[in-house]
Amino acid sequence: MKKMVCSILLLTFLFILTSCNASVEEKNPIDKEVFHKTSNDNDNPSVKDVKNVDVANTHGSIEGLERMQNFYHNLQNGISSELRIVHYTIEGDPIVTDLNYKEDTVKVTYDSSRDNFGSGEITSVICSDLLEEVNPTNTSYIATGCSDDFFGMAEILTIEYNLGRQDLFGLELKFGEKLENELNTKTKEATHINASKTRTTSDFKLSTPVKQEVFKKLIMANYLGELDLKTTCQSEDSKEYYLKVYINGGDRDYHWSSCDQGSDALKFTEIAEYMILQSEMEQTESPETVIQGYILQVEDDTLLIGVDLNILDYELLKDEIQHIDLSAYVFDFISLEGVKTDEFKIGDKIETIIKGSITGSNPGIAQVKDIMRLDISVTR
């Protein structure tokens, strides 16, 4: 009898406890909120002493870039999301940036506690939006409408892919069932075999804009990182690819099959097919050069612009431009002549077609053939 009474009392207690817990959850619905994780736990970047890393920026080699893109996409669609980014210092210490988007605000938290040469602080700033600014040679993600930060902005991640800053860039691509076709910008030879016919070109080349686009795609695919590419597939229609990239004083090679559906292989297949498509088109160096930039000075019929700056770069430079030696900066500056300057003002982002060539450097000098003002949203 005592055992029965005890059992009834125990069941009653558990029922009351369960009811209380349910009541607490209903009174605190925020505890139920589900954040969209931009990462896949099985293939996150590995960083010593830092867990749950989504994006790792190792001096420009960026692993997990697609998660940054996914976070931006979620934010644009009002989906609550979290993202963790690690930047490495020159000494190799990790600096952590956490993004937390919820209810139209972005909380940005900086953690430098693992930086042996830094302040060791953990600080946060609340922002209202995230800007993706795409330039011809770089892409930046910048939090805007921020409290307690420079110019109300915080630079989250920048991806550089300026081919003009490389000393050498060459490409060798072999493709086909037995890698029988070849495109080679170093030897300037191309071989296409189709229906037992061989077509060989001894003056093969890819134009500078095409090579710039290939370089951008390689950077976005993290070509210098550890990749997972497969060459063994159970498919009769599979195409083989072999790509060798010559960059400055080194080279990297990659071999994969078209039936490899991994994320790395899909990116490299897109690069290879882009090269193949371009090789079948006439490659002419355009006499017109197109550039983008922010206006830093307006004088008479001349505009001074900073080429491929992002909005935060512009804000940092605009008040200093009168007192600095332009040649000391890593940015490129161009003085555009022949412009109706009354149509433009300092701070405008413009795109211009250059007449002829650019002479000199920092600032270079160029004649304008055509010019238009850009809304920053156009470059997103």
Side-chain angles (χ1 to χ4, degrees), residues 41-57:
D41 292 340
N42 295 324
D43 57 1
N44 284 21
S46 177
V47 176
K48 184 180 179 181
D49 298 329
V50 184
K51 296 180 179 180
N52 302 320
V53 178
D54 298 302
V55 182
N57 179 10

Side-chain angles (χ1 to χ4, degrees), residues 96-113:
V96 178
T97 301
D98 284 326
L99 303 181
N100 184 307
Y101 170 68
K102 180 178 63 174
E103 298 176 354
D104 296 328
T105 62
V106 183
K107 181 179 180 181
V108 184
T109 302
Y110 303 101
D111 181 354
S112 62
S113 60

Side-chain angles (χ1 to χ4, degrees), residues 171-173 175 182-192 199-207 210-211 275-281 283:
L171 298 162
E172 175 187 339
L173 174 65
F175 58 97
E182 181 177 358
L183 307 174
N184 196 316
T185 64
K186 287 199 71 178
T187 63
K188 298 182 179 179
E189 293 183 350
T191 300
H192 293 271
R199 177 166 55 89
T200 302
T201 303
S202 59
D203 60 348
F204 170 73
K205 65 179 180 179
L206 294 174
S207 68
V210 170
K211 287 190 289 186
M275 289 178 59
I276 294 168
L277 176 64
Q278 292 298 321
S279 73
E280 296 169 350
M281 303 172 65
Q283 298 291 307

